[in-house]
Amino acid sequence: MKLSKIFMVAVLLIMAPLSQAQDIKPAEVKKIMKRVADWQLDHFQDLYSGSTKPHHQLDWTNGALYIGMVKWAAMAGDETYYNWLKAIGEGNEWKLHRRKYHADDHTVGQLYLELYRKYKDVKMIEPTKEQFDFIMYHPARTSLTWKSPYHQSRWNWCDALFMSPPVWAKLYNITGEEKYLDFMMGEFKATTDFLFDKEENLYYRDESYMGKRDHNTKIFWSRGNGWVFAGLTNIMNELDSQSKEYKYFLKIYKKMAKKLLAIQTPEGHWAMSLLGQEFYPTPETSGSSFYTYGLAWGINKGILDKDTYGKAVQKGWNAMVGHVTEEGMLGYVQPIGAAPGKAWADKTEVYGTGAFLSAGSEVYKLYGGE
């Protein structure tokens, strides 16, 4: 009996990692993406993050949703999702949100430019182009330090690197006008020089977190770095892989990817405070979905070695799928914030859905989806 018990324990230990691995099938990826996308469309006007009214359609929260949703629309095989997205643009006259310089209010421009690529209707991009031309010829001269006057007229918080730079990159790619690329490069480099920690290869959320400690660890917010990592991916998609600009972003991307591989939790997610997983055991699915997206993209592009990074993507995706309810709600999305905090199984946010759909679009390709 004793030998029998030992044998059974050994079998269980061998089988455990196999069961956790769970082979990913493209059809299943597509199926759960549809479930999540459909749930979000049905609950688009819900109240999130303790708000008393729904997010504005042009708010950055929804902008991040649209970025993932337009990727799903390209996979879905019917026009339902494109029609929904197009109605957002038409209903808002293809305008960006209210603040001219603020990166958050540029986010929806990524949707408009993708829809232009499909429909070739210039009215979809004219307001974005006009506003960005104004910004270029009247650039903000504010400091990148936190809480200085008009400080968020420039990209002085890491989230901004997801929100605005990909719009500039897409506009450059679509128009061929290098002025958009040049402006984006100058501002992105300024932000990176200011917020990137060269020892940890991660970004501070903003200047106010430099020098602070949480349980004696530096504070690197998971979703904040997720914004950056996904933003790098979305920018590089628009650039010639042989260009000096692409190589600049690639260098940062590879440094972050190596760090992310080292700090992924055994469960497959990334801790809300990236260097403090023992203090933040609760899963968080928005930042983790962005990391899964970016890593899968890197493997698909031949930038990252599949043998080295493939397991991280597999664990990440399976962890995210494990937090989707039967109805299609993605749980454990941290509410709007700027630092490590709390997340709950029964709470979600639209940007979490966008991140999940972005991740699914690359995981689908990685596992053989056409």
Side-chain angles (χ1 to χ4, degrees), residues 257-325:
K258 185 177 180 181
K259 183 70 175 186
L260 292 168
L261 184 65
I263 61 177
Q264 186 180 24
T265 69
E267 296 79 18
H269 63 273
W270 281 263
M272 280 185 269
S273 184
L274 288 172
L275 303 186
Q277 58 178 263
E278 64 183 295
F279 309 112
Y280 290 90
T282 304
E284 201 289 308
T285 56
S286 59
S288 296
S289 290
F290 279 136
Y291 297 137
T292 304
Y293 165 57
L295 293 174
W297 175 87
I299 298 171
N300 287 333
K301 291 291 185 182
I303 294 167
L304 301 180
D305 176 57
K306 188 174 182 179
D307 289 340
T308 304
Y309 287 90
K311 288 181 181 177
V313 171
Q314 186 180 49
K315 283 170 58 181
W317 178 250
N318 285 333
M320 299 308 98
V321 169
H323 299 307
V324 176
T325 67

Side-chain angles (χ1 to χ4, degrees), residues 324-342:
V324 176
T325 67
E326 285 298 316
E327 296 75 22
M329 187 197 81
L330 177 67
Y332 284 111
V333 180
Q334 185 187 2
I336 294 171
K342 295 181 179 181

Side-chain angles (χ1 to χ4, degrees), residues 43-344:
H43 295 267
F44 180 58
Q45 291 294 297
D46 285 7
L47 303 181
Y48 298 103
S49 294
S51 299
T52 57
K53 58 183 179 180
H55 299 313
H56 191 286
Q57 287 187 351
L58 302 185
D59 190 59
W60 64 269
T61 48
N62 284 322
L65 167 64
Y66 308 148
I67 290 164
M69 192 68 76
V70 78
K71 293 178 185 298
W72 165 243
M75 297 170 57
D78 70 63
E79 293 295 298
T80 300
Y81 308 95
Y82 274 124
N83 290 338
W84 185 81
L85 291 165
K86 191 162 63 167
I88 298 290
E90 289 170 344
N92 290 282
E93 299 179 321
W94 305 102
K95 293 177 182 177
L96 302 180
H97 206 13
R98 56 188 177 81
R99 294 169 292 185
K100 189 176 292 291
Y101 286 90
H102 202 289
D104 286 357
D105 290 0
H106 300 163
T107 313
V108 70
Q110 296 184 55
L111 168 65
Y112 298 161
L113 289 158
E114 286 304 310
L115 291 177
Y116 171 78
R117 281 179 161 145
K118 178 174 173 62
Y119 296 105
K120 305 301 183 192
D121 187 342
V122 293
K123 75 171 181 288
M124 294 175 169
I125 64 170
E126 282 176 342
T128 299
K129 191 172 184 295
E130 182 180 351
Q131 184 166 325
F132 277 23
D133 285 345
F134 180 91
I135 292 170
M136 272 192 306
Y137 294 112
H138 304 84
R141 300 298 184 192
T142 47
S143 170
L144 293 174
T145 55
W146 195 245
K147 295 295 185 182
S148 55
Y150 306 103
H151 63 110
Q152 287 186 300
S153 292
R154 296 181 68 198
W155 305 335
N156 74 333
W157 72 110
C158 72
D159 316 26
L161 299 182
F162 175 90
M163 309 298 175
S164 187
V167 187
W168 292 88
K170 288 176 188 293
L171 199 55
Y172 155 69
N173 194 355
I174 287 170
T175 66
E177 296 183 44
E178 291 198 7
K179 62 184 182 180
Y180 300 114
L181 178 63
D182 292 343
F183 181 89
M184 186 267 288
M185 290 301 301
E187 290 299 291
F188 198 106
K189 285 180 178 179
T191 301
T192 295
D193 290 346
F194 191 58
L195 295 180
F196 190 66
D197 185 306
K198 293 179 181 178
E199 291 181 358
E200 302 295 347
N201 290 324
L202 297 168
Y203 281 76
Y204 291 102
R205 195 272 175 176
D206 59 64
E207 185 202 28
S208 70
Y209 292 92
M210 296 178 185
K212 287 185 179 178
R213 293 291 187 272
D214 183 355
H215 296 91
N216 206 33
T217 63
K218 292 180 180 178
I219 304 171
F220 295 108
W221 181 36
S222 179
R223 186 164 65 242
N225 280 273
W227 290 125
V228 177
F229 199 60
L232 289 167
T233 299
N234 293 340
I235 291 167
M236 287 190 288
N237 270 332
E238 304 300 327
L239 304 180
D240 178 353
S241 63
Q242 300 305 309
S243 68
K244 66 180 187 297
E245 292 87 0
Y246 181 94
K247 291 173 183 176
Y248 168 81
F249 294 113
L250 182 62
K251 188 175 180 181
I252 300 170
Y253 169 88
K254 285 184 172 180
K255 287 179 179 180
M256 291 189 73
K258 185 177 180 181
K259 183 70 175 186
L260 292 168
L261 184 65
I263 61 177
Q264 186 180 24
T265 69
E267 296 79 18
H269 63 273
W270 281 263
M272 280 185 269
S273 184
L274 288 172
L275 303 186
Q277 58 178 263
E278 64 183 295
F279 309 112
Y280 290 90
T282 304
E284 201 289 308
T285 56
S286 59
S288 296
S289 290
F290 279 136
Y291 297 137
T292 304
Y293 165 57
L295 293 174
W297 175 87
I299 298 171
N300 287 333
K301 291 291 185 182
I303 294 167
L304 301 180
D305 176 57
K306 188 174 182 179
D307 289 340
T308 304
Y309 287 90
K311 288 181 181 177
V313 171
Q314 186 180 49
K315 283 170 58 181
W317 178 250
N318 285 333
M320 299 308 98
V321 169
H323 299 307
V324 176
T325 67
E326 285 298 316
E327 296 75 22
M329 187 197 81
L330 177 67
Y332 284 111
V333 180
Q334 185 187 2
I336 294 171
K342 295 181 179 181
W344 297 267

Side-chain angles (χ1 to χ4, degrees), residues 5-17:
K5 285 183 179 178
I6 291 170
F7 176 76
M8 286 301 296
V9 169
V11 169
L12 288 171
L13 288 172
I14 291 168
M15 291 299 294

Side-chain angles (χ1 to χ4, degrees), residues 334-351:
Q334 185 187 2
I336 294 171
K342 295 181 179 181
W344 297 267
D346 62 345
K347 286 186 171 57
T348 193
E349 254 287 7
V350 288
Y351 47 75

